[in-house]
Amino acid sequence: MDVLLLSRLQFAVATFFHFIFVPLTLGLSIIIAIMETKYVRSGDEEYKRMAKFWGKLFLINFALGVVTGITLEFQFGTNWSRYSAYVGDIFGSLLAVEATAAFFLESTFIAVWVFGWERISKKLHMVTIWLVALAANLSAFWIIMANGFMQHPVGYVMRNGRAELDDFFAVITNPFAWHQFVHTLFGSWMASGFFVLGVSAYHLMKKNEVAFFKKSFNIGLVFALVFSVLVATQGHFHGNEVSERQPTKLAAMESHWETQTNAPFCILTIPKLNNEGNYVETMCIPSLLSLLAFNDPGAEVVGLNDFPKEDRPPVLLTFLSFRLMIALGMLFPLLAILAWYWRNKLPEKQWFGRLLIYAIPLPIIALEAGWALAEVGRQPWIVWGIMRTSEAVSPVATSQVATSLVAIILLYTFLGIIDIFLLKRVAQRGPATQQPAQAHKE
């Protein structure tokens, strides 16, 4: 393996591990804010217990997310220094805003929220968790705007061999980035809904804290149902944007090789391992690919054979990531509808309750597949059309990257085991026993 491949592997390991925690942070923060708002408005102490219980799971997740996110930013300097020098004006400014305007806000108010119970007024305490939720989702906005520039660069000029920021407003209104952001946000909120559903189903099947977990289940159900539909719907429009801006990614997503009008969608396709066609291509529905990609059954879809080999992304991985994301995306609304239909029958429908528990990681897997599709399908470009990934890597020794890659894999495996252990332990224990209400400062 050379430095380029090792550096890509290292970034992929760090990104995919970090992205396990991000979706839950985005959605759980809002769910907890809703629970605390219900407590403040109704005075029902059970909603306060709910905010505290789900808050513990949120904090475990948040801590691991922070640790793994920091190493990612270091890699731009250590592994991708040429990239940083080339587009640092743009990419760096977005990350700087994220750190100062979102991450610091989130970290500060998390501390106030954790230690502020019974020390500040109920309303002020509620405001802190809403600020945490706002900052968490704002942080995702700036990160995805930066990634959106890599997918569809806008608002820059080439000067002295570098891309320099020319129009900050164009960068943060980049339509490609906005589609990515909304798609990721809806997917993350859906993932959090299924997390709450799964944990609640576990306790409801055991008839443990029934009233508590019934309320939690209903809030999680709203998130799972609404956002599983919205993420699928918005995904279609995001796909239209990809079709217009990144034709090689579209062709790789479908392993589509010949340029065609009325392009068919083939239900069963098996791409060749050598990136040169398909072994199997059958059960094809005429015009469906043209319709899905461009909302026009007669539209032309350019095949991979019309692009130089050096400009094609890895087809098999792009294709499998897309198909996995779509398959899971079709499953989630069905699961959420069944959860709504059987929401009062979980003790009798033990098999379905167990299914909801097993479904907890599935939205995360779908989000990871979507991220793989976005990043692998963009290759060989690190910044679409202006800089190749091979031009962006740092001039460092192979042994250095190999050593740090092994260290990251070992460290992240250890952190992953700790995270699963803590989440499982806290989730299975359930909420703390209800204590007599203490007076809040007013």
Side-chain angles (χ1 to χ4, degrees):
M1 292 186 184
D2 58 13
V3 171
L4 175 60
L5 182 56
L6 287 170
S7 295
R8 289 180 66 185
L9 280 175
Q10 187 166 316
F11 198 79
V13 168
T15 302
F16 282 89
F17 192 75
H18 176 61
F19 206 54
I20 292 172
F21 308 105
V22 172
L24 282 183
T25 302
L26 301 183
L28 266 184
S29 60
I30 296 176
I31 289 175
I32 295 164
I34 290 171
M35 290 171 175
E36 187 163 349
T37 303
K38 283 179 172 286
Y39 160 62
V40 172
R41 294 186 65 180
S42 68
D44 185 342
E45 289 285 326
E46 196 139 74
Y47 283 115
K48 180 181 177 182
R49 293 176 69 218
M50 288 165 64
K52 287 190 171 183
F53 170 68
W54 295 104
K56 282 183 187 174
L57 295 166
F58 168 78
L59 290 172
I60 294 168
N61 193 70
F62 175 78
L64 268 293
V66 170
V67 170
T68 54
I70 289 172
T71 61
L72 271 174
E73 299 205 12
F74 284 136
Q75 286 188 35
F76 290 114
T78 55
N79 297 52
W80 303 101
S81 59
R82 286 172 172 154
Y83 164 80
S84 298
Y86 193 73
V87 295
D89 279 17
I90 304 148
F91 199 78
S93 64
L94 294 168
L95 292 189
V97 175
E98 187 271 334
T100 54
F103 179 66
F104 283 161
L105 181 69
E106 184 182 12
S107 303
T108 301
F109 283 101
I110 276 182
V112 177
W113 186 76
V114 170
F115 298 108
W117 289 105
E118 326 305 344
R119 291 184 173 85
I120 58 178
S121 73
K122 288 194 291 187
K123 288 182 180 177
L124 187 56
H125 195 268
M126 177 191 70
V127 169
T128 63
I129 189 62
W130 277 110
L131 288 173
V132 169
L134 172 67
N137 287 273
L138 195 60
S139 182
F141 170 80
W142 292 109
I143 295 293
I144 294 176
M145 287 302 116
N147 185 266
F149 175 81
M150 298 166 75
Q151 302 284 349
H152 175 53
V154 294
Y156 72 98
V157 292
M158 295 303 299
R159 190 177 292 132
N160 301 320
R162 298 172 64 244
E164 296 185 0
L165 184 62
D166 181 59
D167 186 346
F168 186 74
F169 184 73
V171 173
I172 64 171
T173 56
N174 183 348
F176 196 103
W178 270 95
H179 277 291
Q180 270 194 306
F181 173 63
V182 174
H183 196 55
T184 306
L185 213 59
F186 286 170
S188 299
W189 293 353
M190 176 194 71
S192 302
F194 275 102
F195 179 76
V196 174
L197 277 186
V199 174
S200 300
Y202 171 82
H203 288 282
L204 288 172
M205 287 193 301
K206 290 180 172 294
K207 298 183 179 177
N208 176 40
E209 293 270 10
V210 173
F212 179 98
F213 282 107
K214 184 69 181 168
K215 289 177 180 173
S216 297
F217 188 91
N218 287 337
I219 293 174
L221 179 56
V222 171
F223 268 68
L225 187 56
V226 171
F227 292 109
S228 62
V229 174
L230 286 180
V231 73
T233 306
Q234 195 277 334
H236 170 72
F237 297 108
H238 184 34
N240 291 156
E241 189 75 13
V242 171
S243 304
E244 290 286 344
R245 309 291 183 191
Q246 298 180 330
T248 53
K249 182 187 285 186
L250 168 67
M253 285 160 60
E254 294 297 344
S255 195
H256 179 73
W257 293 89
E258 299 299 333
T259 298
Q260 291 175 276
T261 54
N262 302 103
F265 175 85
C266 297
I267 295 172
L268 179 58
T269 302
I270 302 177
K272 289 183 178 176
L273 298 176
N274 63 359
N275 234 30
E276 292 288 348
N278 297 325
Y279 291 117
V280 176
E281 194 176 291
T282 186
M283 293 188 283
C284 299
I285 303 171
S287 302
L288 185 56
L289 178 55
S290 294
L291 180 64
L292 291 173
F294 298 103
N295 298 323
D296 175 4
E300 180 182 87
V301 179
V302 182
L304 285 162
N305 283 335
D306 280 3
F307 297 101
K309 289 183 180 179
E310 63 272 20
D311 287 349
R312 299 176 194 166
V315 176
L316 182 61
L317 187 51
T318 307
F319 172 84
L320 291 177
S321 300
F322 179 59
R323 291 289 172 112
L324 176 62
M325 182 184 72
I326 293 299
L328 290 173
M330 293 169 68
L331 174 66
F332 297 136
L334 176 63
L335 270 179
I337 290 170
L338 290 175
W340 176 81
Y341 186 71
W342 285 323
R343 64 190 182 282
N344 297 319
K345 298 179 181 176
L346 280 181
E348 296 82 38
K349 299 284 183 185
Q350 294 273 322
W351 68 270
F352 184 67
R354 284 194 290 274
L355 187 60
L356 288 178
I357 297 170
Y358 296 139
I360 288 175
L362 295 183
I364 305 295
I365 293 172
L367 283 158
E368 296 277 13
W371 199 247
L373 168 63
E375 298 303 285
V376 177
R378 190 186 63 222
Q379 301 304 317
W381 304 101
I382 193 167
V383 182
W384 186 267
I386 65 172
M387 186 181 204
R388 290 178 182 271
T389 308
S390 57
E391 299 166 341
V393 71
S394 298
V396 294
T398 305
S399 59
Q400 292 176 335
V401 186
T403 303
S404 57
L405 173 60
V406 171
I408 283 178
I409 290 173
L410 291 176
L411 175 63
Y412 283 8
T413 302
F414 174 67
L415 291 175
I417 292 170
I418 290 178
D419 180 68
I420 292 170
F421 171 77
L422 290 175
L423 285 177
K424 186 178 178 184
R425 181 171 177 152
V426 172
Q428 287 183 330
R429 277 186 174 180
T433 306
Q434 191 163 12
Q435 299 294 323
Q438 297 180 39
H440 240 299
K441 287 192 174 183
E442 299 294 344

